[in-house]
Amino acid sequence: MNAPAKLPIAEIWVYLSGNPLYALILTLLAFQAGVWLYERGGRRPLANPVAIAVVLVAGSLRLADMPYERYFEGAQPEWVAPLFAQSVTAPIAMGVAQQIGASPTLTAVFAVVTGILGAVLGRFVLDAVGCRAWWQRGFALGTAAHGIGTSRAFSVNIDAGRFASLAMGLHGVLGALLVPAVARWL
Amino acid sequence: MQVIPGLAQILVFQGLGELLSRFATPILPGPVLGLIALLAYLLIAGRASESLSVVADGFSRNLGLLFVPAAVGVVLFLPQLAAHWLAISAALIGSVVATIAVTAWVLRLAVRADRAGRGDDASTGAR
């Protein structure tokens, strides 16, 4: 290939979609766009950066006719996997899903949707129940909306963010102990 | 700003957790055991190093990024989700609202009990 400018579009695309780096770049750019819109929009809870990124990536995959499995393999290289496991709620949810015969992928989707919903609705629920102290607001968000709620809490108030981290960790520990026991009864 | 020492510390404890999970207590996942071990270490040490704080805060602020690939899996289930959208939305929204409200309520009760127990009236909510 000594004339790269003459490569047909399709051939370029085959190269791009075959290389995991580009799935990672797509994810990072979509998330960057989500964060940018979130910041520009005055950090309103409804403009959740994760939700925006998911819509952008899903739309790109559909446009490019790229199967989700191929994207996911690329977006999750070995060095991202342990970091992902750091958000304790996801592997616990997926482990429990396997125990009770549910789909791990669907469980992960619901876990993420729960996180987005918590980050979006948190402010309104907490205002409605009259919870004002930042550390309490963060703790509630970390409990209900794990990593995504923690990101949201950090963007609003540093104390809220730190207590959201704490709640997320505690929820992870207690969840790992209690959820399998409860799942046996369901 | 030193990033490597904090990152190394986190990964060493996660590795320790994975080993414990594989050979000692398979009930708990490795990252959870690593988290407990790191917390125990920090309690004994009495403080977190600056590097660890920087790395941990940086991850926590951007945790959302790590959920994007998994969430895009929603495209696999669009037909099923569309067929049951009402039940799914009701379950997800109901459980999230209930979790946030109940957590806030329990915290308030616990803070009140704590203050009554200590007999002090420090009404600052900040910690």
Side-chain angles (χ1 to χ4, degrees), chain B:
Chain B
M1 197 54 73
Q2 288 283 338
V3 174
I4 302 300
L7 192 58
Q9 199 177 0
I10 290 173
L11 289 179
V12 162
F13 275 96
Q14 183 175 350
L16 191 68
E18 296 287 359
L19 284 175
L20 283 172
S21 173
R22 175 114 358 135
F23 297 108
T25 52
I27 317 147
L28 286 171
V32 174
L33 289 171
L35 180 72
I36 297 172
L38 179 56
L39 179 64
Y41 167 78
L42 290 177
L43 285 174
I44 294 168
R47 59 181 287 277
S49 71
E50 196 191 347
S51 175
L52 181 63
S53 308
V54 167
V55 174
D57 271 2
F59 277 140
S60 305
R61 282 170 203 274
N62 297 294
L63 272 178
L65 172 65
L66 305 178
F67 292 96
V68 173
V72 176
V74 83
V75 295
L76 292 180
F77 295 97
L78 278 181
Q80 291 97 313
L81 295 178
H84 304 284
W85 69 270
L86 188 62
I88 292 171
S89 328
L92 288 178
I93 295 176
S95 61
V96 164
V97 169
T99 307
I100 297 175
V102 169
T103 308
W105 177 67
V106 169
L107 277 178
R108 194 185 303 169
L109 287 185
V111 167
R112 201 173 295 164
D114 200 31
R115 277 190 198 139
R118 280 183 311 181
D120 71 21
D121 198 25
S123 53
T124 53
R127 218 176 270 239

Side-chain angles (χ1 to χ4, degrees), chain A residues 124-138:
Chain A
F124 308 108
V125 178
L126 289 167
D127 284 346
V129 299
C131 177
R132 268 186 292 274
W134 281 119
W135 70 270
Q136 294 182 5
R137 294 175 72 97

